Amino acid sequence: MGALIRSVDFSEVEIIDPFWSGMIGLVHAKTIPACIERCEETGRIGNFRIAAKAVPGEHSGRSYNDSDLYKVLEGIGYTLSRFSDGELEKRADEIIGYIVGAQEESGYLNTKHSISGEGRFVDMDEHEMYNGGHLIEAGIAYYLGTGKDALLRAGMRFAEHIMEIFGPEGRNWVPGHQEIELALVKLGELLGKEKYIAFAKWLLGQRGRGYGSTGPEASAGGWNREYYQDLVPVEDLDRIYGHAVRAMYMFAAMADVSRHGFSGYLPALESVWRNITDRHMYVTGGIGSSKVNEGFTVEYDLPNESAYCETCASVGMVFFNHRMFLLTGESKYLDVLERELYNGAISGLGLDGSSFFYDNPLESRGKVERKPWFRTSCCPTQMARFIPSIGGYIYAARGRDLFVTTFIASELECGFRIRMEGDFPESGRIRLSGDPRGELDRVFVRIPDWANRHSVRKTEGAESVGMKDGFLIFRIHDRFSLDLEFDMKIDFVRANERVVCDRGMVAIQYGPVVYCLEEIDAPDYECFEFREGDAFTIDRSSVTFPGRSLVRVVDKEDGRTRATLIPYHLWNNRGACGMKVFIPSRLSDSLYCR
C-alpha cells in the first residue's frame, strides 16, 4: 500500500473560508458557552465536583453524561488553537481541575460509579469505556490547542488502567458503545506508542465471539447482538446493521488499525461501505433510518418523514470515510465525507448557535423544531467539537505529496506553505498557490463526484502529470499557483426505484449541497410539484440567508417565482413549518443526471 497517508492536523491549518469561518466563530461565541451552561444546569459539571470531593452530593443523570463535558472540552481545544480567549481557557482549566481531581488513584474515571460506589466494569453497556474514549480525545485536542497536558495525562492514566484489567492476559470485554477504540489509536499515534493501537485491535477482536451475550458482564438491560454489532467477528462483516453511531465509530477504528499494518479488516470495511452508501444512505448523507434502534433496518428502507438520521451518525460517517481515504487513497470516500459536511452533519446546528437537531428527517409537517438541549445530549456537544475540528479534513500528506481533500479556503504551514482561495460551495472556482520550500513534490487535487466537467485555467510553477484514484496530479517545481474550476450546475437527483416513498419525486442538488422546500417559500406547498415549464436558477441575493445560494423555481411563461429552495442544513431556522427534500416531479427523464 506504500507510505501512509496522514491527515494534516487542525493546528497547522488556518481557515479563511467564509462558510466555515462563520460556523466556527458561531460555535466559539454561542455553541460552546451554551453547552457549558447546560452542562452546569444539568449537573454534568457538578458530578465532577462531587466526585473530586470539592462539594458534597449525589450523582445526577445518566452514566454517559461525563462524555458530554469531554466533548465540549475537545471543542474548546480546537477553538483555542484559532481564537485567543483567556476567559474560555480559564473556565476550561477550572473544569479540567475537577476532572483530574475526580480520577481515582487507579486511573479509573466515571463520576456515576465513583460517587455511588457501584462496581466498576460489571455491565458492558455502562459506557465506562465510551466515556474514557471521549476523555482521551478531549485530552489530545486540548493539548494540541493549548499545550496543556493535564487532561491528556488523565486520559493516558485511564488507558493504562483498562489495559491492566483487560487483554489477552486479563478479562474479556465488549464495549457496549464503541468509541474507546478510535481514541486509543489517536493516543498511540500522538505518543508514538503501538501498545495503545494493539489494545484497540484487541477490543475490536472481542466482538462476535459471544462475550457480550453470555459473559457475566452482559448488559443488565439485555444484550441485543445485532444492535451492538456483535453478531460476527468484525473481519467477517459484509453488511451494516444495528445502532448507527456505534457502527461508524467502530468502522473508523477498524480503518485506523488497518493503517497500522493489519490488512484483515479491509475487505469487511469495503463491503459495509458499499452496503451503506448503495442501500442505506439518504441523499443528505443521513444514515440510520429507524428511531427504534437509532440505526439500520432492511435495505432501501429510507422513509422521509420518519427518518431518524441522528446528527452524531452523520459525523460518524465523516470519521469513517475520512479514515477510509487515509487507508486507501481513493477519492470516493471523500465524496461521501463532503456530502456529510455540507448536509447531514451541519444540519444539526441552528443559525443561532444554541439550538439543535438530534434527528434529521427529510420531510416535516411542521411539528419538528430545534431544541436547546436533550436529556441525552450527545448531538449538541458533538457539534461543539466537530465544527471547530474542520481544519483536519482539508489536507492530507504522504511523504512529499500533498492531497487537497476538501475545498475549504485556508492556509497551511508545515515545512511548506499552501494557500487555497475560493467561495466554495457557492462556486467551483479554486485557486491554489504556495511555496514548496524544497519539501513538496506533488499536489493531488480531488475531482468531486458532482462535477460534470473540470478545467485547469492557469498553472504557474507546476505541471499537470495525470490523474489517479479521482485526483488531478500536479508536479511542483517552484513557487506555484493553480486556477481550477469544477463545473457546478443544478442537478435533479432521483432515488433508487426500490425506495418506494420517493417514486415519482426528485431532489435538488447544487455542487455538494442538497436543497429542500419549506412551506414558507411556496404558496401552493401542499400540492407543489416540479413541472415541464419550470426554469431553475441560482439566487445569491438572499437577505435571510446571506452568502448562501438559493434555488428559484420560475415559471417560464410568466416569469413568476413558484418556489424557492434553501440548503437542507438551513431548514427550521425561521420557525416550524412544512419541509420536504424529495418533491413530486413531472420533469422529463432527460434532466436526471443521477
Side-chain angles (χ1 to χ4, degrees):
M1 199 173 293
L4 288 178
I5 302 175
R6 66 171 183 86
S7 176
V8 174
D9 191 77
F10 73 93
S11 61
E12 298 177 301
V13 178
E14 181 181 353
I15 293 176
I16 57 176
D17 184 274
F19 184 100
W20 288 103
S21 290
M23 293 204 71
I24 294 169
L26 181 69
V27 168
H28 172 225
K30 299 293 184 179
T31 309
I32 286 175
C35 286
I36 292 175
E37 184 178 348
R38 300 287 185 274
C39 284
E40 190 71 83
E41 290 173 352
T42 58
R44 284 164 167 82
I45 297 175
N47 284 336
F48 283 97
R49 290 193 187 98
I50 296 166
K53 296 182 171 53
V55 296
E58 297 182 355
H59 183 271
S60 62
R62 300 184 174 187
S63 61
Y64 47 71
N65 282 3
D66 291 0
S67 67
D68 293 325
L69 192 56
Y70 296 148
K71 282 188 284 185
V72 177
L73 289 168
E74 183 181 349
I76 292 173
Y78 298 132
T79 301
L80 290 176
S81 73
R82 179 178 173 86
F83 299 102
S84 177
D85 188 333
E87 286 301 312
L88 180 62
E89 186 170 350
K90 180 180 178 181
R91 180 73 164 120
D93 289 343
E94 176 191 7
I95 294 169
I96 289 169
Y98 293 129
I99 292 171
V100 171
Q103 187 166 34
E104 298 179 11
E105 187 176 346
S106 65
Y108 181 84
L109 182 54
N110 182 285
T111 61
K112 177 185 175 183
H113 294 270
S114 294
I115 294 170
S116 68
E118 294 177 3
R120 281 75 163 145
F121 298 115
V122 295
D123 184 338
M124 290 180 177
D125 201 29
E126 264 293 276
H127 291 75
E128 290 157 287
M129 287 194 184
Y130 171 81
N131 288 349
H134 281 300
L135 167 66
I136 291 168
E137 289 200 88
I140 292 171
Y142 203 75
Y143 169 70
L144 292 174
T146 68
K148 298 177 179 179
D149 67 353
L151 196 61
L152 173 63
R153 285 187 282 109
M156 292 168 60
R157 289 184 62 204
F158 182 85
E160 294 292 339
H161 175 63
I162 59 175
M163 289 168 64
E164 289 176 1
I165 300 172
F166 306 99
E169 306 301 321
R171 291 168 54 187
N172 296 111
W173 190 262
V174 181
H177 196 311
Q178 300 93 317
E179 212 288 334
I180 184 68
E181 302 90 343
L182 65 87
L184 286 165
V185 177
K186 274 190 177 183
L187 185 62
E189 290 176 341
L190 177 72
L191 302 177
K193 294 187 177 181
E194 288 291 326
K195 66 178 182 178
Y196 297 120
I197 300 168
F199 187 61
K201 179 177 178 293
W202 179 85
L203 283 170
L204 291 167
Q206 291 283 284
R207 312 190 90 83
R209 306 183 192 280
Y211 301 129
S213 55
T214 61
E217 302 90 357
S219 173
W223 188 263
N224 183 324
R225 296 185 68 181
E226 179 172 316
Y227 178 82
Y228 294 104
Q229 290 85 38
D230 193 32
L231 287 174
V232 299
V234 293
E235 60 268 27
D236 295 333
L237 286 166
D238 60 2
R239 64 179 179 86
I240 187 65
Y241 58 82
H243 188 277
V245 181
R246 286 169 162 87
M248 294 309 109
Y249 287 179
M250 182 177 78
F251 299 151
M254 290 169 64
D256 273 340
V257 168
S258 298
R259 292 179 61 247
H260 289 273
F262 182 68
S263 61
Y265 291 154
L266 185 56
L269 289 170
E270 290 176 333
S271 291
V272 295
W273 184 85
R274 286 193 300 271
N275 186 242
I276 295 167
T277 56
D278 289 349
R279 306 180 182 198
H280 292 279
M281 187 175 75
Y282 288 90
V283 68
T284 59
I287 60 168
S289 62
S290 173
K291 186 172 185 177
V292 174
N293 65 346
E294 297 185 313
F296 301 95
T297 59
V298 298
E299 294 176 349
Y300 304 107
D301 178 27
L302 297 169
N304 292 313
E305 187 176 355
S306 63
Y308 196 64
C309 296
E310 184 180 339
T311 297
C312 287
S314 288
V315 173
M317 277 286 277
V318 173
F319 297 162
F320 175 31
N321 281 277
H322 187 233
R323 286 161 168 84
M324 286 299 289
F325 160 68
L326 296 177
L327 176 62
T328 67
E330 296 182 39
S331 67
K332 65 182 181 182
Y333 300 110
L334 297 172
D335 291 329
V336 177
L337 181 153
E338 185 178 71
R339 182 173 296 276
E340 302 291 350
L341 284 185
Y342 290 97
N343 301 289
I346 60 173
S347 64
L349 179 64
L351 288 178
D352 60 2
S354 57
S355 60
F356 309 92
F357 278 144
Y358 196 106
D359 46 333
N360 295 268
L362 278 72
E363 183 173 343
S364 169
R365 299 186 187 184
K367 297 181 180 179
V368 178
E369 290 190 85
R370 299 177 188 273
K371 296 181 180 180
W373 198 246
F374 306 89
R375 187 178 179 190
T376 296
S377 265
C378 53
C379 294
T381 53
Q382 186 79 275
M383 290 291 92
R385 73 166 182 152
F386 173 65
I387 290 173
S389 77
I390 206 71
Y393 298 98
I394 305 174
Y395 304 100
R398 179 179 59 198
R400 297 169 65 89
D401 294 338
L402 179 74
F403 293 83
V404 177
T405 56
T406 56
F407 305 116
I408 299 175
S410 53
E411 293 183 346
L412 167 63
E413 187 86 36
C414 60
F416 51 83
R417 183 181 180 277
I418 296 290
R419 181 179 175 90
M420 177 160 46
E421 300 170 89
D423 62 348
F424 188 80
E426 305 310 312
S427 80
R429 292 183 295 274
I430 305 296
R431 166 169 284 187
L432 285 168
S433 59
D435 183 354
R437 298 174 183 170
E439 300 291 330
L440 181 64
D441 290 340
R442 297 184 298 178
V443 171
F444 290 62
V445 181
R446 179 175 66 91
I447 305 170
D449 63 348
W450 45 260
N452 297 282
R453 293 186 302 274
H454 66 270
S455 58
V456 182
R457 298 196 174 278
K458 178 183 176 183
T459 62
E460 294 180 359
E463 63 175 319
S464 175
V465 293
M467 296 170 52
K468 183 180 180 183
D469 293 331
F471 288 89
L472 292 167
I473 307 173
F474 298 91
R475 188 169 298 282
I476 305 302
H477 298 302
D478 202 345
R479 291 177 180 269
F480 71 94
S481 65
L482 304 169
D483 285 2
L484 305 101
E485 184 167 0
F486 300 105
D487 180 42
M488 287 177 63
K489 68 182 186 65
I490 296 171
D491 287 338
F492 302 88
V493 185
R494 185 164 53 184
N496 188 295
E497 279 297 311
R498 282 173 279 192
V499 182
V500 177
C501 65
D502 290 337
R503 289 175 183 171
M505 296 199 282
V506 65
I508 296 292
Q509 183 172 328
Y510 179 65
V513 179
V514 174
Y515 284 72
C516 69
L517 178 64
E518 283 197 296
E519 188 173 5
I520 192 174
D521 295 317
D524 55 346
Y525 175 83
E526 290 297 335
C527 58
F528 183 85
E529 62 180 4
F530 295 139
R531 306 184 308 210
E532 286 288 353
D534 289 336
F536 297 82
T537 62
I538 294 297
D539 180 1
R540 296 188 172 92
S541 64
S542 173
V543 175
T544 307
F545 301 114
R548 300 290 190 269
S549 294
L550 310 185
V551 174
R552 294 204 180 276
V553 185
V554 179
D555 188 306
K556 290 180 181 177
E557 291 188 3
D558 60 17
R560 176 178 57 90
T561 296
R562 298 185 58 231
T564 301
L565 282 71
I566 66 171
Y568 169 76
H569 71 263
L570 293 175
W571 81 280
N572 194 234
N573 278 292
R574 297 174 290 176
C577 68
M579 181 279 297
K580 60 183 73 172
V581 171
F582 278 94
I583 297 167
S585 172
R586 289 190 282 153
L587 296 173
S588 168
D589 283 353
S590 64
L591 288 174
Y592 299 120
C593 65
R594 295 169 191 254

